[in-house]
Amino acid sequence: MLFQLDMLWGGLLLMVATMSVAQQTRQEADGDRETLVVQHGHCRYTFLLPKSEPCPPGPEPSGDFSSFQRDPLATPLHPGKLPTQRVKRLEQALQNNTQWLEKLERTIKMHLRLELVEAQQQMVHNQTAPLLKLDISFLNQTTAQTRKLTDMEAQFLSQASRMDTQMLKTLLSTDKLEKQLLLQRQKLQQLQGQNSTLEARLRALEMKQQEELASLLSKKEQLLNALSRQSAALTNIELGLQGLRHNSSLLQEQQHQLRQQLVVWRNRMQERAKALAPAFIMTGEQVFQDCAEIQRSGANASDVYTIQVSNAAKPRKVFCDLQSSGGRWTIIQRRENGTVNFQRNWKDYKQGFGDPAGEHWLGNEVVYQLTSRAPYSLRVELQDWEGHKTYAQYEHFQLGSEGQLYRLSLGGYHGSAGRRSSMVLQNTSFSTFDSDNDNCLCKCAQVMSGGWWFDACGLSNLNGIYYRAPNNKHKMDGIRWHYFKGPSYSLRASRLMIRPSGI
Ligand SMILES: [Ca+2]
């Protein structure tokens, strides 16, 4: 019981404390109840309390708790029963107050909870904005960092891709080099094999050469012995020759005397031949094929004679040189003063033109007939404007027929007019300005003038234009012989003459 009283007083003290905290309190009386309104912050609390009745006089309690010792539900107490009734009322009042306090406590707790929730919400609201700002800032920083990382990753991937490509190329090149190395090794092995074979052959050759060298050395000793013997013999021969030279000088003197006698006899014979020459022509008893036959018949004077080639229709007058270089020459061409025009057509060169006693061309047809019946030699005599003379001689000379375009065939060249022939030796056809048979796309006879055995267009042309000194130089269409005076020097005189070979 005393415990319940303590609790009641505690609850009242709590209520008083609560009420003291309240900012505003209002009391209203309604019948046997009292309405108590408490303003706490924004909240207002209304309490319905039983109306208190006047308490019987008694000892006044001490302290400041007089207002809380009143029992609002107290009823008038009968004498004798006053303590018991009062206790019951107090117990009832306590019970009611206890219930009320519990209700009040629940209400307060509920409101406190609501306020707490609101306060938490407010706190959350107040703190959410800065947090959101922080989040956004952090998010922006994170995004920037993420971008940087993405860029770095892209760069890294790009570099990695490049390195992969380079590595792939390196691997390919390495593979290629390995293959080449393998091939080179195989070739090297083959070469080593060949080298060993060659070395073996070389050794065999060295052995053979050593044997031959030994043999040659022995032969050399034999030859040296023979040479010493021959040297001794030569010494004896030289001694004998010294004796013979004395006799030879005597013989030379006798030979010189004989030559002088021969010259005297030759001059006499020439004088006689000149005296008898008309008789050869006039008598007509003998027919001569060429000048060689004329000379063989006794004529010795170089002059114009008549010949009758076996296949020719009529006799021809020719100039015979019966004195130069053994004589017996039939002249077939002569240039000496430019009095005859050599710019002729094919027919003229075929039949011949000019005077046999002067400048003339004997004719391709008669030369063909002569050289086709017997082997002939050709001699070319040349003279420049400085007085130098030279010659070129061919031991074999023959012309083809007209059907063969008077094709030239030469051989056995020798002479002083150059170390090489200025005429093409074989298969060169004759050309004139109206018959182009040379080996040039051009027409050499028109470019070089005259008729000749042009090649393309060759190193000679003795039928070119006659140029007198000093206008004879730098002339491509003059009388040329390359290996005598060069390609553009026009000569002063020329002769072509033939005779049977073997004389
Ligand atoms: Ca031509």
Side-chain angles (χ1 to χ4, degrees):
M1 189 63 144
L2 290 174
F3 178 74
Q4 289 178 349
L5 286 173
D6 292 337
M7 287 182 64
L8 176 61
W9 284 113
L12 288 173
L13 286 172
L14 179 63
M15 183 183 70
V16 170
T18 304
M19 291 174 70
S20 66
V21 173
Q23 293 179 353
Q24 187 178 358
T25 305
R26 191 168 49 136
Q27 283 187 335
E28 294 179 359
D30 186 13
D32 56 352
R33 293 184 181 180
E34 290 181 353
T35 302
L36 181 62
V37 178
V38 177
Q39 185 72 31
H40 180 70
H42 298 291
C43 299
R44 177 182 289 177
Y45 304 100
T46 303
F47 303 99
L48 294 175
L49 300 174
K51 191 175 181 179
S52 61
E53 295 178 352
C55 297
E60 291 293 330
S62 62
D64 297 327
F65 300 101
S66 59
S67 62
F68 293 99
Q69 289 176 346
R70 293 179 63 184
D71 188 1
L73 299 174
T75 55
L77 298 174
H78 297 287
K81 297 179 181 179
L82 186 58
T84 305
Q85 291 177 352
R86 192 170 184 177
V87 168
K88 286 182 181 176
R89 285 180 184 172
L90 285 172
E91 286 176 356
Q92 189 175 359
L94 280 172
Q95 190 176 359
N96 291 335
N97 286 332
T98 301
Q99 291 176 354
W100 175 75
L101 286 171
E102 287 175 357
K103 190 175 180 181
L104 180 62
E105 185 181 1
R106 285 195 298 273
T107 304
I108 290 169
K109 285 180 178 179
M110 181 182 69
H111 284 285
L112 286 173
R113 194 180 295 117
L114 289 172
E115 286 183 354
L116 186 61
V117 169
E118 286 180 357
Q120 287 178 349
Q121 287 178 351
Q122 187 67 27
M123 188 180 294
V124 168
H125 177 71
N126 293 334
Q127 292 181 356
T128 299
L131 285 172
L132 282 174
K133 288 180 181 175
L134 285 172
D135 287 345
I136 289 168
S137 173
F138 181 72
L139 187 62
N140 290 333
Q141 291 179 1
T142 305
T143 303
Q145 293 292 332
T146 304
R147 283 177 185 166
K148 288 181 181 177
L149 287 172
T150 304
D151 293 340
M152 290 174 67
E153 186 182 2
Q155 291 177 0
F156 175 75
L157 288 173
S158 175
Q159 289 181 356
S161 174
R162 266 189 241 123
M163 289 178 69
D164 287 343
T165 306
Q166 288 180 355
M167 190 175 290
L168 187 61
K169 288 180 180 176
T170 306
L171 287 172
L172 288 172
S173 61
T174 305
D175 186 49
K176 195 172 180 180
L177 286 171
E178 284 180 351
K179 288 180 179 175
Q180 289 180 354
L181 187 62
L182 187 62
L183 288 172
Q184 292 293 333
R185 281 179 182 166
Q186 290 176 354
K187 288 182 180 175
L188 190 61
Q189 288 175 355
Q190 292 177 357
L191 287 172
Q192 285 176 350
Q194 293 176 357
N195 193 22
S196 60
T197 307
L198 288 172
E199 283 179 352
R201 288 183 183 172
L202 188 62
R203 282 193 219 99
L205 284 172
E206 283 177 355
M207 294 288 290
K208 193 174 179 180
Q209 282 182 351
Q210 286 177 357
E211 292 175 357
E212 290 178 350
L213 187 61
S215 174
L216 288 171
L217 286 172
S218 66
K219 288 181 180 176
K220 182 183 175 184
E221 289 180 359
Q222 294 174 1
L223 287 171
L224 286 172
N225 294 330
L227 188 61
S228 62
R229 289 195 297 272
Q230 287 180 356
S231 296
L234 280 172
T235 306
N236 295 330
I237 290 171
E238 282 180 355
L239 292 173
L241 278 173
Q242 285 178 357
L244 289 172
R245 276 174 191 159
H246 179 68
N247 297 331
S248 175
S249 61
L250 294 175
L251 289 171
Q252 284 178 354
E253 288 180 2
Q254 291 177 358
Q255 187 179 8
H256 181 66
Q257 291 175 358
L258 287 171
R259 281 181 180 170
Q260 286 180 345
Q261 288 181 358
L262 278 172
V263 170
V264 173
W265 290 345
R266 183 184 296 167
N267 292 332
R268 288 178 183 171
M269 291 296 292
Q270 285 177 354
E271 290 174 358
R272 288 182 182 176
K274 284 184 179 178
L276 293 172
F280 278 104
I281 301 169
M282 296 300 292
T283 56
E285 294 177 353
Q286 284 185 294
V287 176
F288 303 107
Q289 298 277 340
D290 59 5
C291 295
E293 290 187 359
I294 291 173
Q295 189 164 7
R296 198 179 299 124
S297 67
N300 264 328
S302 298
D303 206 342
V304 176
Y305 294 92
T306 300
I307 61 172
Q308 177 67 58
V309 184
S310 59
N311 297 328
K314 58 182 182 180
R316 293 290 303 267
K317 286 188 177 296
V318 297
F319 189 91
C320 295
D321 187 338
L322 306 180
Q323 295 171 332
S324 300
S325 303
R328 305 188 183 185
W329 296 107
T330 302
I331 310 299
I332 64 173
Q333 187 259 21
R334 175 154 52 192
R335 307 291 299 275
E336 57 186 5
N337 49 25
T339 55
V340 174
N341 179 21
F342 275 70
Q343 307 309 307
R344 305 291 184 114
N345 58 20
W346 179 266
K347 185 179 178 181
D348 287 348
Y349 273 98
K350 174 186 175 183
Q351 296 176 349
F353 56 86
D355 181 7
E359 290 191 327
H360 73 284
W361 181 259
L362 184 60
N364 288 334
E365 187 64 26
V366 67
V367 175
Y368 154 67
Q369 290 166 355
L370 279 170
T371 58
S372 62
R373 70 178 184 88
Y376 268 75
S377 299
L378 170 69
R379 181 179 176 88
V380 180
E381 290 186 347
L382 305 168
Q383 183 179 352
D384 64 13
W385 289 95
E386 289 76 34
H388 302 113
K389 293 182 179 179
T390 188
Y391 77 97
Q393 192 159 329
Y394 302 86
E395 296 305 321
H396 170 73
F397 168 71
Q398 187 176 10
L399 273 195
S401 65
E402 185 179 17
Q404 294 171 324
L405 303 171
Y406 299 120
R407 188 175 57 206
L408 182 65
S409 177
L410 292 170
Y413 167 79
H414 61 91
S416 57
R419 56 185 176 82
R420 293 177 61 185
S421 170
S422 294
M423 294 177 74
V424 178
L425 298 180
Q426 296 293 329
N427 299 325
T428 309
S429 300
F430 199 85
S431 291
T432 56
F433 65 82
D434 59 341
S435 180
D436 179 25
N437 305 310
D438 56 41
N439 295 320
C440 178
L441 292 174
C442 63
K443 293 183 177 180
C444 295
Q446 293 185 5
V447 176
M448 301 296 181
S449 80
W452 193 250
W453 298 276
F454 298 106
D455 183 34
C457 291
L459 302 172
S460 62
N461 174 22
L462 299 182
N463 292 337
I465 297 174
Y466 195 92
Y467 289 102
R468 297 180 184 279
N471 299 319
N472 63 312
K473 296 177 181 176
H474 312 295
K475 305 294 183 183
M476 296 298 295
D477 54 354
I479 301 170
R480 297 183 299 110
W481 194 267
H482 180 89
Y483 288 115
F484 176 39
K485 297 298 288 187
S488 58
Y489 183 101
S490 186
L491 299 171
R492 179 177 187 173
S494 71
R495 288 202 306 175
L496 295 177
M497 47 196 193
I498 60 174
R499 71 181 180 189
S501 298
I503 294 175

